[in-house]
Amino acid sequence: MLVTDLDSRLTELYEEMVSLRRHFHQHPELSFEERETPRTIAAYLRELGLDVREHVGGNGVVGRIHGGDGPTIAFRADFDALPIQDLKDVPYRSKVNGSMHACGHDAHTATLLVLAKALTEIDLPGDVVLIHQFAEELAPGGAKPMIEDGCLDGVDYIYGSHIWTPLPFGTVGVKTGPIMAAADRFELTVKGKGGHGAIPQHTVDAVMVGTNIVSQLQQVISRRIDPLEPAVLTVGTFVAGQAFNVIADEAKLSGTVRTFTPETQTRIITEMERTIAHICSASEAHYELDYIRGYPAVINHATETDHVRRSAARVVGTDGVIEMAPLMVGEDFAYYMQHVPGSFFFTGAGNPEVGAVFPHHHPRFDVDERAMLHTARILMQAAFETWNMHKKED
């Protein structure tokens, strides 16, 4: 098969791609609990004649297609699901109570498997490594342990994509530099002195202290961070008290911080600690702050993103390629690009005609499955762009 025939071959394999996606959608497995999914992936890749490693870093699977002496290019797809009840009325609705693919990882996996099948049918200029990753949804995630277990050994470049319903089908989102944020979380316990609701003078009201902290933390972003530097600080939970007439002696808060640079991240941590310490000291309260650094920011490399941009234009047309603004959501694909150059892009999958109108992590989430074909073609084109660049340099 000629390289120019790959596009039509992927079209021929599209129904298999859909079938695989729907199989995974009906049988979701939560982060770090994946068992049958990686077994299915490994069996499919072995049937193609690939070298396959299982249990990479935990539940990961890595396959290798051997090619010529050109650079080795990796593609990554994640395969974990979310603890959400599937409420869609479709034949392929999740069969697992309380678990569903509400983010598109089933589509990522099906795309990469069928792309692998097409690539095995031609002579490749270099090796292709297929990284099937577990546990993207739940920090500390699967990327880091898979890297530590050698999934990037010998890899020169890496590409990945996310099916994305906020973008309409027929579009592709690309961006050089920071495209997704570092995603941290924090847990704060405020310790006061409880007492009778009618005798507040003898207490240290943990609810009052906690609400002051919530209010003042908003100034960390608005008054301590450069307004041209994107950052988010959100308090997501506040739990305190057990009775209407009792002043709570303890309040528990949790939230998230999103940043794009280590400098901004460090500044926010410092200012949070200072603000909380000052309020608690003034109120004669005590506190415990646990700040957990999550995935780092996803930083796309320039040359590889140019490859994706040109590849996407060939697939969806120049007008379909969108220069994205950075997103505040997190992705552990960031770890791969700390080791090798690469690019991560978003494939538009929103379409009201097929019910793909709900946001990611919604119980009625679905995608326009044709976006899988776009993803496969762009990954394929980006790989050949990379190989051709090196051929010219030689």
Side-chain angles (χ1 to χ4, degrees):
M1 181 189 295
L2 298 174
V3 172
T4 52
D5 293 330
L6 266 177
D7 198 64
S8 59
R9 180 58 174 147
L10 285 170
T11 300
E12 293 172 0
L13 293 170
Y14 172 65
E15 291 304 322
E16 181 175 350
M17 199 180 285
V18 170
S19 177
L20 283 166
R21 183 255 167 168
R22 294 184 178 189
H23 168 79
F24 292 127
H25 198 87
Q26 288 180 293
H27 303 92
E29 294 182 302
L30 300 178
S31 305
F32 297 103
E33 298 176 13
E34 310 95 340
R35 298 294 181 268
E36 289 303 319
T37 303
R39 277 196 279 265
T40 301
I41 292 168
Y44 187 97
L45 295 178
R46 285 201 175 95
E47 185 69 22
L48 297 178
L50 274 59
D51 291 338
V52 178
R53 286 182 61 207
E54 296 183 71
H55 309 295
V56 180
N59 297 331
V61 179
V62 176
R64 181 179 288 265
I65 305 172
H66 294 285
D69 58 4
T72 295
I73 296 172
F75 301 133
R76 175 272 210 163
D78 39 16
F79 57 74
D80 56 323
L82 285 156
I84 298 172
Q85 182 67 41
D86 194 346
L87 299 182
K88 294 189 301 300
D89 184 17
V90 294
Y92 50 88
R93 183 170 58 187
S94 172
K95 294 181 178 181
V96 181
N97 190 44
S99 178
M100 74 170 287
H101 277 288
C103 203
H105 296 186
D106 51 343
H108 302 165
T109 302
T111 298
L112 194 53
L113 289 175
V114 172
L115 176 59
K117 187 171 191 175
L119 291 175
T120 60
E121 298 174 2
I122 67 168
D123 293 327
L124 297 174
D127 286 5
V128 170
V129 172
L130 309 156
I131 299 173
H132 287 275
Q133 184 202 307
F134 66 102
E136 184 278 329
E137 294 287 2
L138 185 62
K144 197 170 183 180
M146 288 191 72
I147 293 168
E148 292 168 352
D149 199 10
C151 76
L152 289 179
D153 289 356
V155 170
D156 298 298
Y157 302 94
I158 188 165
Y159 294 98
S161 178
H162 206 301
I163 296 284
W164 200 241
T165 59
L167 291 178
F169 172 74
T171 63
V172 176
V174 299
K175 185 185 182 301
T176 301
I179 190 170
M180 301 180 80
D184 302 341
R185 81 174 193 269
F186 62 87
E187 297 174 359
L188 171 66
T189 301
V190 175
K191 298 182 178 181
K193 180 182 177 184
H196 199 293
I199 314 174
Q201 68 271 26
H202 298 311
T203 70
V204 176
D205 189 343
V207 171
M208 183 65 72
V209 176
T211 54
N212 285 338
I213 289 171
V214 172
S215 176
Q216 292 302 309
L217 284 181
Q218 305 313 305
Q219 295 190 31
V220 171
I221 303 298
S222 67
R223 291 296 178 269
R224 295 290 182 263
I225 303 299
D226 185 336
L228 299 180
E229 180 67 32
V232 170
L233 193 166
T234 295
V235 177
T237 70
F238 189 130
V239 180
Q242 295 180 330
F244 79 97
N245 61 346
V246 175
I247 291 175
D249 64 350
E250 185 174 276
K252 291 183 177 292
L253 296 76
S254 68
T256 186
V257 172
R258 306 295 170 111
T259 56
F260 285 101
T261 68
E263 294 77 16
T264 300
Q265 181 189 52
T266 299
R267 179 69 187 274
I268 289 175
I269 296 170
T270 300
E271 292 295 333
M272 283 181 64
E273 183 86 40
R274 187 181 68 83
T275 298
I276 294 166
H278 175 76
I279 292 172
C280 286
S281 176
S283 304
E284 298 184 338
H286 302 280
Y287 73 93
E288 294 177 358
L289 175 63
D290 187 15
Y291 191 98
I292 303 99
R293 294 176 187 251
Y295 303 153
V298 177
I299 312 293
N300 280 337
H301 296 83
T303 299
E304 290 65 43
T305 303
D306 285 342
H307 293 330
V308 170
R309 191 176 285 109
R310 286 191 295 271
S311 300
R314 291 193 187 100
V315 174
V316 300
T318 303
D319 292 343
V321 180
I322 297 171
E323 295 294 324
M324 290 191 68
L327 297 172
M328 283 299 182
V329 294
E331 239 286 357
D332 66 352
F333 193 87
Y335 290 118
Y336 298 111
M337 292 195 294
Q338 289 182 340
H339 294 267
V340 297
S343 188
F344 191 79
F345 62 95
F346 290 86
T347 307
N351 186 353
E353 294 181 3
V354 297
V357 295
F358 296 96
H360 293 249
H361 296 207
H362 190 280
R364 293 179 65 188
F365 174 82
D366 208 348
V367 302
D368 188 325
E369 293 171 317
R370 295 174 297 169
M372 295 188 291
L373 202 51
H374 283 171
T375 300
R377 287 170 171 161
I378 295 167
L379 290 173
M380 174 193 72
Q381 292 277 2
F384 280 98
E385 282 264 347
T386 306
W387 284 319
N388 289 337
M389 177 188 69
H390 283 268
K391 191 182 297 183
K392 292 175 183 177
E393 291 177 353
D394 294 341

